[in-house]
Amino acid sequence: QVELVESGGGLVQPGGSLRLSCAASRSIGRINYMDWYRQAPGKQRELVATITSGGTTNYADSVKGRVTISSDNAENTVYLQMDSLKPEDTAVYYCKAVTMGNLYWGQGTQVTVSS
């Protein structure tokens, strides 16, 4: 029943790294593109990165150069590699998949950057 399963969040020190994963069920069909969003307490949810089925990527200015979005089509999984993490990166990170007929959200995974 769960369409998207996220993992990889946790507590890291400033300057540390994390790799988030989002595994999509084959049942949702062809995926046109997938996004990573994040939402910090008291703030609006914002788009972090996008990857299309063709491999085109896009990043928010706030994370450009520090994060990389990638996909493994054989495993139907997308990743968000995050390096040089800052306290302002602290948020719940959400995966979103967009198909021909629907969009799906993951449950979110907490990322906390703190000393």
Side-chain angles (χ1 to χ4, degrees):
Q1 293 284 4
V2 179
E3 292 88 4
L4 302 178
V5 179
E6 298 168 319
S7 62
L11 173 64
V12 297
Q13 293 184 338
S17 297
L18 283 174
R19 190 193 194 198
L20 308 183
S21 300
C22 177
S25 172
R26 297 286 182 180
S27 66
I28 70 175
R30 180 180 176 182
I31 299 172
N32 295 126
Y33 61 91
M34 298 187 73
D35 300 331
W36 282 100
Y37 284 77
R38 68 184 182 186
Q39 187 167 27
K43 294 186 177 181
Q44 189 175 6
R45 186 173 298 188
E46 65 174 347
L47 178 64
V48 177
T50 295
I51 187 166
T52 71
S53 61
T56 301
T57 59
N58 233 351
Y59 300 93
D61 289 340
S62 59
V63 302
K64 196 171 298 181
R66 300 188 296 117
V67 309
T68 302
I69 188 170
S70 61
S71 63
D72 184 339
N73 291 333
E75 299 295 327
N76 224 36
T77 300
V78 296
Y79 305 94
L80 191 71
Q81 176 68 43
M82 303 191 294
D83 302 312
S84 302
L85 285 164
K86 306 174 180 179
E88 50 262 45
D89 295 318
T90 296
V92 178
Y93 285 70
Y94 298 91
C95 177
K96 183 178 78 175
V98 180
T99 67
M100 177 65 69
N102 295 99
L103 63 85
Y104 304 87
W105 286 96
Q107 82 286 353
T109 184
Q110 176 71 50
V111 172
T112 302
V113 185
S114 179
S115 298

PDB file of all heavy atoms in Angstrom, residues 47-72:
ATOM      1  N   LEU A  47      11.114  23.197  -2.510  1.00  0.00           N
ATOM      2  CA  LEU A  47      11.712  22.239  -3.431  1.00  0.00           C
ATOM      3  C   LEU A  47      13.224  22.296  -3.320  1.00  0.00           C
ATOM      4  O   LEU A  47      13.823  23.372  -3.410  1.00  0.00           O
ATOM      5  CB  LEU A  47      11.262  22.536  -4.859  1.00  0.00           C
ATOM      6  CG  LEU A  47      11.822  21.655  -5.967  1.00  0.00           C
ATOM      7  CD1 LEU A  47      11.365  20.208  -5.797  1.00  0.00           C
ATOM      8  CD2 LEU A  47      11.397  22.183  -7.333  1.00  0.00           C
ATOM      9  N   VAL A  48      13.855  21.136  -3.146  1.00  0.00           N
ATOM     10  CA  VAL A  48      15.300  21.043  -3.014  1.00  0.00           C
ATOM     11  C   VAL A  48      15.950  20.607  -4.319  1.00  0.00           C
ATOM     12  O   VAL A  48      16.936  21.209  -4.768  1.00  0.00           O
ATOM     13  CB  VAL A  48      15.689  20.074  -1.884  1.00  0.00           C
ATOM     14  CG1 VAL A  48      17.205  19.914  -1.797  1.00  0.00           C
ATOM     15  CG2 VAL A  48      15.125  20.556  -0.556  1.00  0.00           C
ATOM     16  N   ALA A  49      15.429  19.547  -4.935  1.00  0.00           N
ATOM     17  CA  ALA A  49      16.042  18.998  -6.140  1.00  0.00           C
ATOM     18  C   ALA A  49      15.029  18.206  -6.935  1.00  0.00           C
ATOM     19  O   ALA A  49      14.050  17.685  -6.387  1.00  0.00           O
ATOM     20  CB  ALA A  49      17.243  18.114  -5.791  1.00  0.00           C
ATOM     21  N   THR A  50      15.272  18.101  -8.236  1.00  0.00           N
ATOM     22  CA  THR A  50      14.401  17.385  -9.160  1.00  0.00           C
ATOM     23  C   THR A  50      15.253  16.541 -10.096  1.00  0.00           C
ATOM     24  O   THR A  50      16.338  16.967 -10.509  1.00  0.00           O
ATOM     25  CB  THR A  50      13.552  18.362  -9.997  1.00  0.00           C
ATOM     26  OG1 THR A  50      12.658  19.079  -9.154  1.00  0.00           O
ATOM     27  CG2 THR A  50      12.740  17.622 -11.056  1.00  0.00           C
ATOM     28  N   ILE A  51      14.758  15.359 -10.445  1.00  0.00           N
ATOM     29  CA  ILE A  51      15.383  14.555 -11.490  1.00  0.00           C
ATOM     30  C   ILE A  51      14.291  13.956 -12.359  1.00  0.00           C
ATOM     31  O   ILE A  51      13.307  13.416 -11.864  1.00  0.00           O
ATOM     32  CB  ILE A  51      16.315  13.466 -10.914  1.00  0.00           C
ATOM     33  CG1 ILE A  51      17.070  12.760 -12.050  1.00  0.00           C
ATOM     34  CG2 ILE A  51      15.545  12.470 -10.056  1.00  0.00           C
ATOM     35  CD1 ILE A  51      18.236  11.910 -11.562  1.00  0.00           C
ATOM     36  N   THR A  52      14.450  14.065 -13.679  1.00  0.00           N
ATOM     37  CA  THR A  52      13.481  13.520 -14.620  1.00  0.00           C
ATOM     38  C   THR A  52      13.850  12.096 -14.989  1.00  0.00           C
ATOM     39  O   THR A  52      14.942  11.610 -14.695  1.00  0.00           O
ATOM     40  CB  THR A  52      13.407  14.369 -15.895  1.00  0.00           C
ATOM     41  OG1 THR A  52      14.602  14.185 -16.666  1.00  0.00           O
ATOM     42  CG2 THR A  52      13.245  15.846 -15.568  1.00  0.00           C
ATOM     43  N   SER A  53      12.929  11.425 -15.671  1.00  0.00           N
ATOM     44  CA  SER A  53      13.197  10.067 -16.121  1.00  0.00           C
ATOM     45  C   SER A  53      14.357  10.009 -17.100  1.00  0.00           C
ATOM     46  O   SER A  53      15.005   8.971 -17.241  1.00  0.00           O
ATOM     47  CB  SER A  53      11.944   9.472 -16.767  1.00  0.00           C
ATOM     48  OG  SER A  53      11.538  10.225 -17.895  1.00  0.00           O
ATOM     49  N   GLY A  54      14.629  11.132 -17.771  1.00  0.00           N
ATOM     50  CA  GLY A  54      15.754  11.208 -18.683  1.00  0.00           C
ATOM     51  C   GLY A  54      17.064  11.598 -18.041  1.00  0.00           C
ATOM     52  O   GLY A  54      18.092  11.649 -18.723  1.00  0.00           O
ATOM     53  N   GLY A  55      17.046  11.894 -16.741  1.00  0.00           N
ATOM     54  CA  GLY A  55      18.271  12.198 -16.024  1.00  0.00           C
ATOM     55  C   GLY A  55      18.576  13.671 -15.844  1.00  0.00           C
ATOM     56  O   GLY A  55      19.619  14.018 -15.281  1.00  0.00           O
ATOM     57  N   THR A  56      17.696  14.549 -16.303  1.00  0.00           N
ATOM     58  CA  THR A  56      17.908  15.976 -16.116  1.00  0.00           C
ATOM     59  C   THR A  56      17.682  16.352 -14.657  1.00  0.00           C
ATOM     60  O   THR A  56      16.699  15.927 -14.050  1.00  0.00           O
ATOM     61  CB  THR A  56      16.963  16.780 -17.008  1.00  0.00           C
ATOM     62  OG1 THR A  56      17.193  16.440 -18.380  1.00  0.00           O
ATOM     63  CG2 THR A  56      17.185  18.273 -16.827  1.00  0.00           C
ATOM     64  N   THR A  57      18.582  17.143 -14.096  1.00  0.00           N
ATOM     65  CA  THR A  57      18.505  17.522 -12.690  1.00  0.00           C
ATOM     66  C   THR A  57      18.378  19.029 -12.525  1.00  0.00           C
ATOM     67  O   THR A  57      18.778  19.807 -13.393  1.00  0.00           O
ATOM     68  CB  THR A  57      19.737  17.035 -11.914  1.00  0.00           C
ATOM     69  OG1 THR A  57      20.925  17.607 -12.485  1.00  0.00           O
ATOM     70  CG2 THR A  57      19.840  15.520 -11.968  1.00  0.00           C
ATOM     71  N   ASN A  58      17.828  19.422 -11.389  1.00  0.00           N
ATOM     72  CA  ASN A  58      17.680  20.822 -11.025  1.00  0.00           C
ATOM     73  C   ASN A  58      17.815  20.941  -9.517  1.00  0.00           C
ATOM     74  O   ASN A  58      17.390  20.041  -8.785  1.00  0.00           O
ATOM     75  CB  ASN A  58      16.331  21.368 -11.468  1.00  0.00           C
ATOM     76  CG  ASN A  58      16.439  22.635 -12.294  1.00  0.00           C
ATOM     77  OD1 ASN A  58      17.509  23.224 -12.425  1.00  0.00           O
ATOM     78  ND2 ASN A  58      15.320  23.069 -12.850  1.00  0.00           N
ATOM     79  N   TYR A  59      18.382  22.055  -9.041  1.00  0.00           N
ATOM     80  CA  TYR A  59      18.634  22.244  -7.618  1.00  0.00           C
ATOM     81  C   TYR A  59      18.232  23.633  -7.166  1.00  0.00           C
ATOM     82  O   TYR A  59      18.320  24.600  -7.925  1.00  0.00           O
ATOM     83  CB  TYR A  59      20.118  22.047  -7.298  1.00  0.00           C
ATOM     84  CG  TYR A  59      20.652  20.681  -7.645  1.00  0.00           C
ATOM     85  CD1 TYR A  59      21.250  20.436  -8.873  1.00  0.00           C
ATOM     86  CD2 TYR A  59      20.562  19.637  -6.737  1.00  0.00           C
ATOM     87  CE1 TYR A  59      21.740  19.181  -9.189  1.00  0.00           C
ATOM     88  CE2 TYR A  59      21.048  18.378  -7.043  1.00  0.00           C
ATOM     89  CZ  TYR A  59      21.636  18.155  -8.268  1.00  0.00           C
ATOM     90  OH  TYR A  59      22.120  16.908  -8.577  1.00  0.00           O
ATOM     91  N   ALA A  60      17.819  23.715  -5.916  1.00  0.00           N
ATOM     92  CA  ALA A  60      17.608  25.009  -5.303  1.00  0.00           C
ATOM     93  C   ALA A  60      18.950  25.694  -5.080  1.00  0.00           C
ATOM     94  O   ALA A  60      19.964  25.036  -4.818  1.00  0.00           O
ATOM     95  CB  ALA A  60      16.878  24.853  -3.972  1.00  0.00           C
ATOM     96  N   ASP A  61      18.963  27.019  -5.177  1.00  0.00           N
ATOM     97  CA  ASP A  61      20.207  27.761  -4.997  1.00  0.00           C
ATOM     98  C   ASP A  61      20.828  27.512  -3.621  1.00  0.00           C
ATOM     99  O   ASP A  61      22.058  27.510  -3.482  1.00  0.00           O
ATOM    100  CB  ASP A  61      19.963  29.258  -5.188  1.00  0.00           C
ATOM    101  CG  ASP A  61      19.699  29.627  -6.635  1.00  0.00           C
ATOM    102  OD1 ASP A  61      20.060  28.843  -7.537  1.00  0.00           O
ATOM    103  OD2 ASP A  61      19.133  30.709  -6.863  1.00  0.00           O
ATOM    104  N   SER A  62      19.998  27.279  -2.626  1.00  0.00           N
ATOM    105  CA  SER A  62      20.485  27.123  -1.269  1.00  0.00           C
ATOM    106  C   SER A  62      21.315  25.854  -1.063  1.00  0.00           C
ATOM    107  O   SER A  62      22.090  25.772  -0.109  1.00  0.00           O
ATOM    108  CB  SER A  62      19.317  27.136  -0.281  1.00  0.00           C
ATOM    109  OG  SER A  62      18.405  26.089  -0.566  1.00  0.00           O
ATOM    110  N   VAL A  63      21.159  24.862  -1.945  1.00  0.00           N
ATOM    111  CA  VAL A  63      21.874  23.599  -1.787  1.00  0.00           C
ATOM    112  C   VAL A  63      22.796  23.295  -2.948  1.00  0.00           C
ATOM    113  O   VAL A  63      23.549  22.309  -2.895  1.00  0.00           O
ATOM    114  CB  VAL A  63      20.902  22.419  -1.598  1.00  0.00           C
ATOM    115  CG1 VAL A  63      20.013  22.640  -0.383  1.00  0.00           C
ATOM    116  CG2 VAL A  63      20.066  22.204  -2.850  1.00  0.00           C
ATOM    117  N   LYS A  64      22.762  24.102  -3.980  1.00  0.00           N
ATOM    118  CA  LYS A  64      23.556  23.845  -5.177  1.00  0.00           C
ATOM    119  C   LYS A  64      25.040  23.753  -4.828  1.00  0.00           C
ATOM    120  O   LYS A  64      25.584  24.609  -4.132  1.00  0.00           O
ATOM    121  CB  LYS A  64      23.305  24.943  -6.209  1.00  0.00           C
ATOM    122  CG  LYS A  64      23.769  24.604  -7.614  1.00  0.00           C
ATOM    123  CD  LYS A  64      23.281  25.657  -8.611  1.00  0.00           C
ATOM    124  CE  LYS A  64      21.760  25.707  -8.677  1.00  0.00           C
ATOM    125  NZ  LYS A  64      21.270  26.706  -9.663  1.00  0.00           N
ATOM    126  N   GLY A  65      25.681  22.707  -5.322  1.00  0.00           N
ATOM    127  CA  GLY A  65      27.085  22.478  -5.038  1.00  0.00           C
ATOM    128  C   GLY A  65      27.332  21.609  -3.831  1.00  0.00           C
ATOM    129  O   GLY A  65      28.450  21.122  -3.639  1.00  0.00           O
ATOM    130  N   ARG A  66      26.318  21.397  -3.005  1.00  0.00           N
ATOM    131  CA  ARG A  66      26.458  20.591  -1.801  1.00  0.00           C
ATOM    132  C   ARG A  66      25.653  19.302  -1.847  1.00  0.00           C
ATOM    133  O   ARG A  66      25.894  18.404  -1.040  1.00  0.00           O
ATOM    134  CB  ARG A  66      26.047  21.384  -0.558  1.00  0.00           C
ATOM    135  CG  ARG A  66      26.875  22.642  -0.332  1.00  0.00           C
ATOM    136  CD  ARG A  66      26.563  23.281   1.018  1.00  0.00           C
ATOM    137  NE  ARG A  66      25.185  23.753   1.093  1.00  0.00           N
ATOM    138  CZ  ARG A  66      24.280  23.276   1.942  1.00  0.00           C
ATOM    139  NH1 ARG A  66      24.602  22.310   2.789  1.00  0.00           N
ATOM    140  NH2 ARG A  66      23.054  23.779   1.951  1.00  0.00           N
ATOM    141  N   VAL A  67      24.691  19.212  -2.752  1.00  0.00           N
ATOM    142  CA  VAL A  67      23.846  18.028  -2.849  1.00  0.00           C
ATOM    143  C   VAL A  67      23.827  17.517  -4.278  1.00  0.00           C
ATOM    144  O   VAL A  67      24.044  18.269  -5.233  1.00  0.00           O
ATOM    145  CB  VAL A  67      22.411  18.285  -2.357  1.00  0.00           C
ATOM    146  CG1 VAL A  67      22.415  18.926  -0.983  1.00  0.00           C
ATOM    147  CG2 VAL A  67      21.644  19.144  -3.347  1.00  0.00           C
ATOM    148  N   THR A  68      23.570  16.222  -4.410  1.00  0.00           N
ATOM    149  CA  THR A  68      23.454  15.584  -5.716  1.00  0.00           C
ATOM    150  C   THR A  68      22.260  14.640  -5.704  1.00  0.00           C
ATOM    151  O   THR A  68      22.167  13.765  -4.838  1.00  0.00           O
ATOM    152  CB  THR A  68      24.720  14.797  -6.076  1.00  0.00           C
ATOM    153  OG1 THR A  68      25.859  15.661  -6.066  1.00  0.00           O
ATOM    154  CG2 THR A  68      24.581  14.173  -7.464  1.00  0.00           C
ATOM    155  N   ILE A  69      21.349  14.822  -6.647  1.00  0.00           N
ATOM    156  CA  ILE A  69      20.234  13.906  -6.805  1.00  0.00           C
ATOM    157  C   ILE A  69      20.584  12.914  -7.910  1.00  0.00           C
ATOM    158  O   ILE A  69      21.150  13.285  -8.934  1.00  0.00           O
ATOM    159  CB  ILE A  69      18.919  14.655  -7.106  1.00  0.00           C
ATOM    160  CG1 ILE A  69      17.727  13.692  -7.081  1.00  0.00           C
ATOM    161  CG2 ILE A  69      18.988  15.409  -8.421  1.00  0.00           C
ATOM    162  CD1 ILE A  69      16.369  14.389  -7.137  1.00  0.00           C
ATOM    163  N   SER A  70      20.268  11.651  -7.694  1.00  0.00           N
ATOM    164  CA  SER A  70      20.566  10.608  -8.659  1.00  0.00           C
ATOM    165  C   SER A  70      19.485   9.546  -8.608  1.00  0.00           C
ATOM    166  O   SER A  70      18.647   9.535  -7.702  1.00  0.00           O
ATOM    167  CB  SER A  70      21.944   9.990  -8.400  1.00  0.00           C
ATOM    168  OG  SER A  70      21.999   9.387  -7.120  1.00  0.00           O
ATOM    169  N   SER A  71      19.501   8.647  -9.586  1.00  0.00           N
ATOM    170  CA  SER A  71      18.488   7.601  -9.648  1.00  0.00           C
ATOM    171  C   SER A  71      19.097   6.281 -10.067  1.00  0.00           C
ATOM    172  O   SER A  71      20.111   6.232 -10.758  1.00  0.00           O
ATOM    173  CB  SER A  71      17.363   7.979 -10.611  1.00  0.00           C
ATOM    174  OG  SER A  71      17.852   8.100 -11.937  1.00  0.00           O
ATOM    175  N   ASP A  72      18.475   5.214  -9.617  1.00  0.00           N
ATOM    176  CA  ASP A  72      18.811   3.857 -10.026  1.00  0.00           C
ATOM    177  C   ASP A  72      17.532   3.276 -10.599  1.00  0.00           C
ATOM    178  O   ASP A  72      16.658   2.826  -9.853  1.00  0.00           O
ATOM    179  CB  ASP A  72      19.319   3.038  -8.842  1.00  0.00           C
ATOM    180  CG  ASP A  72      19.762   1.645  -9.245  1.00  0.00           C
ATOM    181  OD1 ASP A  72      19.346   1.153 -10.313  1.00  0.00           O
ATOM    182  OD2 ASP A  72      20.535   1.034  -8.479  1.00  0.00           O
TER     183      ASP A  72
END
